């Protein structure tokens, strides 16, 4: 993961996922988790981007 991806995954998790994965199911899941709570969105963004 690049430094930009790490920073975006902390500040705006869906944007960090979008830059690595594009529009897809991972992006939609990230949006839903971020709306539910910021921390689940961050955890999921790090999980998706580390794959």
């Amino acid at each position: 993961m690049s430094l930009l991806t790490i920073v975006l995954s902390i500040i705006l998790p869906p944007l960090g996922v979008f830059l690595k994965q594009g529009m897809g199911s991972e992006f939609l899941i990230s949006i839903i988790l971020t709306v539910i709570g910021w921390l689940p969105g961050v955890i999921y963004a790090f999980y998706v981007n580390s794959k």
Side-chain angles (χ1 to χ4, degrees):
M1 280 196 299
S2 68
L3 183 60
L4 177 64
T5 307
I6 292 170
V7 170
L8 287 176
S9 291
I10 293 171
I11 296 172
L12 288 171
L15 186 57
V17 172
F18 176 75
L19 288 178
K20 283 289 211 175
Q21 304 295 326
M23 280 291 222
S25 61
E26 290 92 1
F27 178 67
L28 293 175
I29 292 170
S30 179
I31 288 175
I32 292 168
L33 287 173
T34 303
V35 167
I36 291 171
W38 174 76
L39 189 58
V42 171
I43 292 169
Y44 184 74
F46 276 108
Y47 170 72
V48 168
N49 288 332
S50 67
K51 288 198 280 185

